[in-house]
Amino acid sequence: MQKRHVRSNLRIVLFPVVIFTVIGIGLYIFKKKTAPKHFEPSYYTEETPALLQVPHSIYRVVRSKSMSSTDFPDASCRKRKESCPATILITGENRTFGEGVAKAMLISPRPNNKSNGLVGTSRETNTQFGNDLFDGGYTYQVQSNCLNSSPPSMDNYIDVACVEGLPLWRMSYSEINNELYKVLISYFLFLFQAYDFQNSSTKGFNVNIGYNSTYRVRSPDQELNPNVVRVQKAENMITNGFLQFLRGPSTKMILESVSETPFLKFEYPDFDQPAMMVILYVWMIHQLFPVFLQSLVYEKQQKLRMMMAMHGLGNEAYWMIMYLYFLVISILYICAYLVAGTLAGLPIFIKNSVSVQFTFYFVFMNLQISMSFLLSPLFKRAKGASVFGVFMVFGTGLLGAFLFRSWVQDPSINRIWIMALEVYPGFALYRGIDELEDYGKGAAKARTFGIQWRHLKDNTSGMREVLIIMTFTWLVFVLIAYCVDNISSLRSRLSFLTKSQMNTSSSSNSDMEPNMFVQMEKEDITLERKKVEQLQNGPNSLYSAICYDLKKIYPGRDGNPDKYAVKGAHLALPRGECFGMLGPNGAGKTTFISMMNGLLEPTSGTASIEGLDLRNQMHMIHTIMGVCPQHDLIWDTLTGREHLRFYGRLKNLSGSSLTKAVDDSLRGVDLLQDGNKLAGKYSGGMKRKLSVAIALIGNPKIVYLDEPSTGLDPASKNKLWEVILEAKKDRTIILTTHSMEEAERLCDRIGIFADGGFQCLGSSDELKSRYGGSYILTITTTPEIIEEVQGVIEGFCPGATRTYCLSGTQKFELPKTNIKKSEIFGAVKLAKKRFPIQTWGVTETTLEDVFIKVAVEADSSIV
Ligand SMILES: Nc1ncnc2c1ncn2[C@@H]1O[C@H](COP(=O)(O)OP(=O)(O)OP(=O)(O)O)[C@@H](O)[C@H]1O
């Protein structure tokens, strides 16, 4: 069945490919345009100033009572901005040498704070070099003193401050370690740097450098390892100090900067005002929602789902098939989306973990499918559902970007509210994609990796939050959608319970019914009722379908009284019988058939089909039932053969027996040549033939045919009748028709249904002899003499009644008991001598006459 949308499914799955191809081309052009001309085509290397890690003023260590050393700066320096010195602890075997080198290491005062002398930053980093120098935080010039320096200022958009380096001598490195430990653990303060000159002298320089190792990075195996931050500059400073100590200030050995290996330099265009790319991704992923919703509503609107149910496809199976079908499309779509996005070179796809991305989209797709099931009962028309879906998708993207995003970023909004909003799947999708985009872009800038599974361990992770919420919402939606879908059958089961209680509490419920039900029952109807009552006592292998007093009352709405559509029908149909139901419009035929095929729940009474009870075994009855509804319920996008294969499978046919059954069906209804044509391109008659073939495939035990030959040409009609006559041999057929010819040709018994009940039952001949014991005389004269003609007819046949009179043409019913056919001929001959007769004729009663008579009688008997 699901093959029917191959092309449209392919179009859907290729949609992201098209979009990302366009974006990829756009980015390629952008890249070409913006690539620096003086570099190799698109490769680039970046220089980073070599920096020191300097603690921010408030974290620099000062003297306190708990510390044994008294040479630390006084705490009063904290009151003045950036005036606390940065302490450098030094030790070694030779104090004079060590203090000399440390002093030479610090650069002389530079009053103008020019960036030429920049050496340190207080900014945290998780890279060795920290090339984010210009991204906030103070930048320091470490000098021997800051007496003449200007206060912190802006230089080339960088805050530059002078910081005084304060070397303090300690007796041993263990003393330094002791102080470093105390300072760090007890006060959360940081010393600037520590140097152990060991046995260094003017002849040789051996140094051990102490650095701040509180910056940590995660290693690939998830360990938190200390990051060796900015040690290069510390090393260079002390080496330079040693050189200057030996050779004087004119000799310098300065590490200015470090260069990375070349990398592909490409800044992605910043579309993110406001979150344009995120909106696009949200639309692309969410666009399957209207497709699914429309598809579900379409099957309901076209009654295809009902048709499938009537052929044995249970609710659960339908759910499963549709769900899996949508899921397969979704998975293909996600794959196409991820591959196309990656090929287009977008960071959100390249930088983030593929498995995280796939999991996120997979969970959302499931949520989206369950939401389609949940909302589908709200719509009657597929177009309405589709329009709603499209608006919802577009609205979600826009609301997400312009409202929801700002709420997420606003720390003053309680997280609970954000989580409540994320219960709406569109916002959860927006949040997730926004996270992926942020991680992707950030990673592209820093040339690291985007979101990984380990990021989801963090309790504050937005992705973790939406994944949990979406999974929860998905399960809830599935549960609610399933309950809503089954609510009608649940209700009917409950109503059946109350009805059976009613039936057991009172043997007859006739006192519930209005007086108008009470009318004289015809003899044939009484016989049928008695037969049914006898059959009620035990199963009978001869009878395929038995109706026990089926009744249907439609509840009155808007102040109207209840409508008694079927007032109690008894019927016993032997196997192999084709039973015809005739009746005027509104008589209750469709209601009766709908109760029999499970579309409507009887108000009371029941029926047994092949021993199965209509009230609680309908799902089993569906598997042995075939239905040709009044209006063709077929998929325009499936071929006739595919229809038959689908319904054949529902009837448990498979393999070669299925192929044979399909071929025989197509041949039977003369559609073999057009079997592979789309049913949407069939003519009205061809569709009708297909509907009949669908009803008969799979050897059903009982078949309902509602006006099967409507719209067929005489030749096709005859062919179809042959098929039905052949089919009725080993099954029971109930057929409704307005064609007397069809009823007479196909039906073994006919029941005329009027005013909510059978008015007569019997074969065509029985009915004609029972209800039509008269000749019909049709006579046409000039209109002026119709009274005279009527007088003559009534004169020669007492009891003659005029049933029709229009512009000179009159019809008379002449009771067979009062006149012979030859006497009619003689009388007309005599009449011709008195007045001119244009045309005349005598016929026996037809089924049509019986029909009209019975219908009129039923109509006039209504109180
Ligand atoms: N859902 C409903 N709610 C209320 N009344 C209904 C409903 N469906 C049918 N009826 C009424 O029940 C009566 C029987 O309708 P039904 O459709 O069974 O007649 P019918 O014999 O099939 O007519 P037709 O030959 O025109 O199809 C009609 O008076 C109709 O108005």
Side-chain angles (χ1 to χ4, degrees):
M1 174 182 69
Q2 310 305 356
K3 264 174 66 189
R4 69 187 184 277
H5 292 312
V6 173
R7 273 199 211 148
S8 52
N9 288 344
L10 202 66
R11 272 198 295 269
I12 290 171
V13 171
L14 288 179
F15 177 73
V17 177
V18 174
I19 295 286
F20 286 131
T21 306
V22 173
I23 292 177
I25 292 170
L27 286 177
Y28 179 77
I29 295 168
F30 181 85
K31 200 154 97 178
K32 277 259 174 202
K33 271 192 174 175
T34 54
K37 300 274 181 298
H38 52 283
F39 290 120
E40 276 299 297
S42 51
Y43 290 97
Y44 186 70
T45 179
E46 201 165 78
E47 266 187 14
T48 311
L51 295 172
L52 272 177
Q53 190 69 37
V54 180
H56 190 277
S57 175
I58 57 165
Y59 296 122
R60 286 173 213 152
V61 68
V62 289
R63 191 162 56 238
S64 76
K65 282 178 194 156
S66 58
M67 289 215 276
S68 52
S69 304
T70 53
D71 52 356
F72 285 118
D74 188 83
S76 60
C77 66
R78 290 225 175 119
K79 293 182 188 138
R80 299 181 302 277
K81 200 173 182 189
E82 292 303 323
S83 66
C84 285
T87 313
I88 307 165
L89 297 183
I90 50 173
T91 187
E93 289 176 12
N94 184 339
R95 180 168 184 168
T96 323
F97 170 82
E99 287 181 333
V101 171
K103 201 171 163 215
M105 172 179 78
L106 299 168
I107 56 173
S108 314
R110 291 169 185 253
N112 56 3
N113 292 346
K114 282 295 171 200
S115 60
N116 187 28
L118 291 180
V119 284
T121 178
S122 62
R123 194 173 156 73
E124 285 192 22
T125 181
N126 61 358
T127 66
Q128 285 228 9
F129 308 114
N131 61 353
D132 43 6
L133 170 69
F134 306 114
D135 203 4
Y138 272 118
T139 302
Y140 299 104
Q141 215 169 249
V142 186
Q143 302 181 173
S144 52
N145 69 68
C146 292
L147 292 179
N148 298 322
S149 68
S150 44
S153 66
M154 292 290 283
D155 180 17
N156 291 337
Y157 305 103
I158 309 163
D159 286 322
V160 181
C162 171
V163 60
E164 183 188 329
L166 178 64
L168 297 176
W169 181 262
R170 295 289 181 266
M171 295 314 291
S172 66
Y173 202 79
S174 61
E175 195 182 325
I176 290 179
N177 267 340
N178 195 26
E179 283 191 343
L180 282 173
Y181 179 76
K182 272 193 189 165
V183 164
L184 180 66
I185 300 302
S186 316
Y187 304 101
F188 299 99
L189 300 175
F190 301 100
L191 289 162
F192 173 30
Q193 212 86 50
Y195 293 106
D196 179 2
F197 298 117
Q198 302 170 49
N199 58 355
S200 300
S201 66
T202 50
K203 299 220 166 68
F205 191 58
N206 305 318
V207 69
N208 172 38
I209 303 173
Y211 74 99
N212 184 351
S213 65
T214 55
Y215 304 104
R216 285 170 186 266
V217 287
R218 281 185 192 274
S219 64
D221 55 359
Q222 305 298 309
E223 284 295 312
L224 266 176
N225 292 331
N227 193 5
V228 186
V229 177
R230 296 166 179 159
V231 174
Q232 293 91 339
K233 187 66 182 175
E235 184 191 338
N236 172 245
M237 269 179 74
I238 203 67
T239 317
N240 183 49
F242 175 64
L243 205 61
Q244 294 201 351
F245 177 72
L246 291 183
R247 311 274 307 257
S250 57
T251 315
K252 282 183 185 163
M253 192 181 86
I254 302 295
L255 172 67
E256 288 287 353
S257 59
V258 287
S259 286
E260 297 178 5
T261 48
F263 58 91
L264 186 63
K265 171 70 178 174
F266 173 51
E267 290 292 334
Y268 291 92
D270 193 6
F271 293 127
D272 220 18
Q273 292 301 334
M276 258 181 64
M277 289 307 277
V278 178
I279 298 179
L280 180 72
Y281 299 141
V282 168
W283 283 341
M284 287 176 77
I285 292 293
H286 211 3
Q287 64 128 353
L288 291 188
F289 170 68
V291 177
F292 296 159
L293 185 66
Q294 193 224 22
S295 173
L296 288 172
V297 178
Y298 176 80
E299 299 212 321
K300 193 174 65 170
Q301 175 194 321
Q302 299 295 91
K303 301 200 169 75
L304 292 167
R305 186 172 171 192
M306 202 169 74
M307 181 75 172
M308 288 186 274
M310 285 192 296
H311 283 84
L313 187 71
N315 253 3
E316 286 77 9
Y318 175 80
W319 263 69
M320 200 83 95
I321 291 170
M322 292 309 282
Y323 199 101
L324 286 178
Y325 166 57
F326 291 156
L327 197 61
V328 168
I329 294 181
S330 302
I331 291 173
L332 291 175
Y333 188 85
I334 298 171
C335 293
Y337 172 82
L338 292 178
V339 170
T342 306
L343 291 177
L346 292 163
I348 184 174
F349 299 100
I350 300 171
K351 293 294 178 181
N352 293 312
S353 151
V354 176
S355 60
V356 172
Q357 291 184 69
F358 185 85
T359 308
F360 167 70
Y361 291 124
F362 180 78
V363 174
F364 178 77
M365 286 298 181
N366 277 287
L367 177 57
Q368 182 159 259
I369 295 170
S370 59
M371 189 165 69
S372 315
F373 275 98
L374 182 67
L375 295 183
S376 65
L378 299 180
F379 299 93
K380 283 194 174 148
R381 305 251 148 240
K383 265 192 191 157
S386 181
V387 170
F388 170 83
V390 169
F391 269 106
M392 196 162 140
V393 169
F394 275 85
T396 297
L398 297 175
L399 281 177
F402 292 104
L403 280 179
F404 179 66
R405 190 182 202 222
S406 57
W407 293 336
V408 172
Q409 288 169 353
D410 186 346
S412 67
I413 293 181
N414 194 323
R415 292 295 93 185
I416 297 290
W417 289 114
I418 300 298
M419 283 162 78
L421 284 171
E422 282 164 0
V423 170
Y424 170 62
F427 286 155
L429 175 70
Y430 191 94
R431 176 88 190 270
I433 292 183
D434 205 30
E435 287 269 317
L436 289 173
E437 177 74 345
D438 276 356
Y439 269 99
K441 275 192 166 175
K445 269 190 187 164
R447 290 186 303 286
T448 53
F449 294 107
I451 198 163
Q452 309 294 319
W453 282 108
R454 65 185 153 83
H455 292 117
L456 271 66
K457 286 185 185 156
D458 179 1
N459 282 344
T460 58
S461 158
M463 179 56 82
R464 170 196 165 110
E465 185 179 300
V466 288
L467 272 178
I468 293 172
I469 292 177
M470 286 197 315
T471 310
F472 174 74
T473 324
W474 166 36
L475 296 175
V476 173
F477 277 14
V478 167
L479 201 71
I480 300 177
Y482 183 78
C483 291
V484 168
D485 197 62
N486 283 276
I487 213 147
S488 55
S489 63
L490 204 76
R491 206 192 298 142
S492 54
R493 258 174 240 161
L494 288 174
S495 68
F496 162 62
L497 265 180
T498 42
K499 262 171 240 148
S500 43
Q501 278 162 5
M502 270 163 44
N503 287 347
T504 47
S505 61
S506 85
S507 56
S508 158
N509 55 5
S510 58
D511 46 336
M512 290 161 37
E513 297 157 11
N515 292 336
M516 63 177 153
F517 280 30
V518 182
Q519 38 178 277
M520 287 298 289
E521 206 174 58
K522 311 271 172 10
E523 199 184 336
D524 44 352
I525 305 297
T526 310
L527 279 174
E528 189 76 7
R529 182 168 54 75
K530 286 191 173 153
K531 192 173 16 171
V532 167
E533 280 164 4
Q534 270 177 3
L535 290 169
Q536 214 168 352
N537 297 331
N540 191 306
S541 57
L542 289 179
Y543 288 86
S544 171
I546 306 162
C547 297
Y548 305 100
D549 200 16
L550 266 188
K551 287 177 187 158
K552 181 70 191 175
I553 305 171
Y554 291 113
R557 294 220 173 95
D558 306 324
N560 291 318
D562 290 352
K563 173 73 194 173
Y564 292 78
V566 176
K567 297 175 181 171
H570 292 91
L571 196 61
L573 302 179
R575 200 161 290 115
E577 178 173 279
C578 179
F579 178 79
M581 274 184 86
L582 305 178
N585 298 125
K589 302 181 297 294
T590 306
T591 305
F592 175 79
I593 295 277
S594 302
M595 286 191 287
M596 291 293 283
N597 63 28
L599 279 183
L600 282 178
E601 193 72 19
T603 306
S604 70
T606 186
S608 147
I609 312 287
E610 294 291 340
L612 299 166
D613 195 318
L614 194 75
R615 293 169 298 185
N616 47 15
Q617 291 174 301
M618 200 65 227
H619 58 288
M620 286 166 76
I621 296 176
H622 279 147
T623 61
I624 53 163
M625 189 175 97
V627 180
C628 166
Q630 195 168 8
H631 305 287
D632 303 303
L633 303 181
I634 50 183
W635 287 277
D636 288 350
T637 46
L638 272 193
T639 64
R641 184 177 287 279
E642 284 167 341
H643 273 93
L644 290 169
R645 285 189 73 82
F646 171 65
Y647 284 109
R649 273 202 205 103
L650 286 184
K651 293 276 160 46
N652 292 329
L653 290 176
S654 60
S656 57
S657 53
L658 175 65
T659 314
K660 183 175 180 310
V662 170
D663 283 344
D664 289 349
S665 295
L666 287 171
R667 198 175 298 110
V669 293
D670 220 6
L671 281 179
L672 197 56
Q673 284 202 333
D674 297 301
N676 295 326
K677 202 166 146 181
L678 289 182
K681 294 191 176 144
Y682 279 8
S683 70
M686 289 161 87
K687 284 182 182 170
R688 206 73 206 123
K689 288 186 202 172
L690 178 61
S691 292
V692 173
I694 289 172
L696 294 177
I697 197 163
N699 208 13
K701 296 277 178 252
I702 183 151
V703 177
Y704 300 97
L705 301 176
D706 202 345
E707 301 181 30
S709 62
T710 312
L712 295 191
D713 62 79
S716 302
K717 203 183 277 187
N718 268 308
K719 186 104 208 285
L720 190 79
W721 287 348
E722 277 167 28
V723 173
I724 297 172
L725 284 172
E726 180 65 27
K728 80 172 187 181
K729 280 180 191 158
D730 44 5
R731 60 182 58 89
T732 306
I733 297 177
I734 300 183
L735 176 145
T736 64
T737 180
H738 288 297
S739 156
M740 302 300 142
E741 189 192 0
E742 184 167 77
E744 287 198 276
R745 176 85 186 271
L746 299 178
C747 301
D748 304 299
R749 267 202 314 161
I750 292 168
I752 297 181
F753 205 87
D755 186 31
F758 286 109
Q759 304 299 326
C760 60
L761 289 167
S763 69
S764 166
D765 288 342
E766 275 169 6
L767 293 182
K768 277 191 274 188
S769 65
R770 202 182 309 152
Y771 289 90
S774 47
Y775 295 110
I776 308 293
L777 170 65
T778 311
I779 190 162
T780 306
T781 59
T782 52
E784 300 83 52
I785 55 164
I786 53 169
E787 301 300 331
E788 191 182 346
V789 174
Q790 187 182 9
V792 169
I793 304 294
E794 285 170 358
F796 73 76
C797 178
T801 45
R802 190 168 71 176
T803 56
Y804 179 87
C805 176
L806 188 71
S807 20
T809 299
Q810 301 179 76
K811 265 188 179 184
F812 296 93
E813 260 185 28
L814 313 177
K816 283 182 181 170
T817 45
N818 295 359
I819 196 163
K820 289 185 183 141
K821 216 173 189 174
S822 55
E823 289 171 352
I824 302 174
F825 282 93
V828 173
K829 220 174 185 181
L830 282 175
K832 267 186 178 173
K833 288 181 184 161
R834 289 179 57 183
F835 44 78
I837 295 174
Q838 291 167 5
T839 57
W840 71 281
V842 181
T843 54
E844 300 264 352
T845 311
T846 60
L847 191 58
E848 193 175 323
D849 298 323
V850 176
F851 175 86
I852 293 168
K853 196 170 179 177
V854 171
V856 169
E857 266 177 27
D859 204 30
S860 59
S861 70
I862 300 173
V863 184

